[in-house]
Amino acid sequence: KQEVTQIPAALSVPEGENLVLNCSFTDSAIYNLQWFRQDPGKGLTSLLLIQSSQREQTSGRLNASLDKSSGRSTLYIAASQPGDSATYLCAVKKTSYDKVIFGPGTSLSVIP
Amino acid sequence: EAQVTQNPRYLITVTGKKLTVTCSQNMNHEYMSWYRQDPGLGLRQIYYSMNVEVTDKGDVPEGYKVSRKEKRNFPLILESPSPNQTSLYFCASSRKGLANTEAFFGQGTRLTVV
């Protein structure tokens, strides 16, 4: 059974720092991996999607990498801003028909 | 604009009073699903549908029903809500068959059952 974990559970950094969020999954046979952002009490916004054949994706200050063999993905946020404060969730899909399995999330606070 | 729309956004109801949360997507996606999010338990799938008239149970289907009569709509039905169904609910949709297909989520429905 696929399990997804995220470390750390919470992170507080001063504005301007670069930071890395980690995601691990137990079954390396994934279809894709997606990073989401969730603001308190709000919906999920998709940040980056990495296909199983890809190693990384970039969007603005965000860079996500994928190492299927080790069951890991990282989300790198450059030059963090207070507006980046949110919970970040990673999720994996085993096949195109499968449900999305979420990690528990990392709660990020960027201090001005 | 591509989106998944849930209604209502907030709902307070009493135990046993049937309710329906609607979900609609405008992207012609085949795959739709419902999740609930609870503190300490994360997001768990309730039901999913791979296409019209095709639905199946997720991890926590007890106490819920769904239907998929049209491709764009996937309502979640609570026939007799109970307090343990108080939660934040999300509807999601995606295309099937493509590795680069994202899952799109609605804004959530916060349900309180008293």
Side-chain angles (χ1 to χ4, degrees):
Chain A
K1 180 185 175 184
Q2 179 73 275
E3 292 184 4
V4 181
T5 55
Q6 290 185 247
I7 293 173
L11 183 62
S12 183
V13 299
E15 181 176 3
E17 278 205 1
N18 303 324
L19 57 98
V20 175
L21 308 180
N22 297 291
C23 171
S24 298
F25 45 95
T26 54
D27 185 350
S28 62
I30 63 169
Y31 192 69
N32 62 36
L33 183 144
Q34 199 166 352
W35 281 93
F36 293 88
R37 168 188 173 136
Q38 184 177 26
D39 294 284
K42 301 288 181 63
L44 282 76
T45 302
S46 178
L47 298 173
L48 290 163
L49 174 83
I50 310 177
Q51 301 174 47
S52 62
S53 59
Q54 297 175 325
R55 292 193 64 84
E56 68 176 342
Q57 283 285 344
T58 298
S59 176
R61 295 182 293 108
L62 306 179
N63 175 277
S65 67
L66 174 64
D67 184 344
K68 272 202 334 177
S69 60
S70 65
R72 293 180 184 175
S73 175
T74 61
L75 178 67
Y76 175 83
I77 302 177
S80 58
Q81 303 170 358
D84 295 330
S85 299
T87 296
Y88 291 81
L89 298 148
C90 70
V92 299
K93 211 173 185 185
K94 184 166 186 175
T95 69
S96 67
Y97 298 95
D98 256 358
K99 63 188 174 187
V100 178
I101 299 176
F102 285 87
T106 293
S107 177
L108 173 66
S109 294
V110 180
I111 312 301
Chain B
E1 180 188 355
Q3 59 185 5
V4 178
T5 304
Q6 294 178 227
N7 279 296
R9 294 287 312 280
Y10 302 92
L11 179 60
I12 301 174
T13 190
V14 296
T15 299
K17 185 177 181 181
K18 180 180 178 180
L19 67 92
T20 299
V21 183
T22 64
C23 173
S24 180
Q25 49 94 5
N26 61 1
M27 296 166 279
N28 202 36
H29 285 168
E30 295 86 1
Y31 188 91
M32 296 185 75
S33 59
W34 277 101
Y35 294 81
R36 62 178 287 174
Q37 186 177 32
D38 303 288
L41 296 175
L43 278 142
R44 296 176 293 168
Q45 191 184 52
I46 303 170
Y47 266 95
Y48 64 96
S49 169
M50 292 195 286
N51 216 322
V52 176
E53 301 292 0
V54 181
T55 63
D56 211 342
K57 297 177 180 179
D59 297 319
V60 288
E62 295 77 19
Y64 304 94
K65 286 175 57 178
V66 292
S67 69
R68 189 90 182 274
K69 293 184 172 58
E70 306 165 280
K71 200 171 188 179
R72 64 182 290 126
N73 296 322
F74 190 45
L76 178 70
I77 303 156
L78 284 72
E79 294 272 5
S80 183
S82 61
N84 65 12
Q85 293 178 298
T86 293
S87 187
L88 180 58
Y89 291 85
F90 290 102
C91 178
S93 75
S94 62
R95 287 186 65 186
K96 68 177 184 181
L98 297 173
N100 65 347
T101 182
E102 293 179 51
F104 290 82
F105 281 76
Q107 287 302 298
T109 295
R110 185 168 291 282
L111 172 66
T112 301
V113 183
V114 298

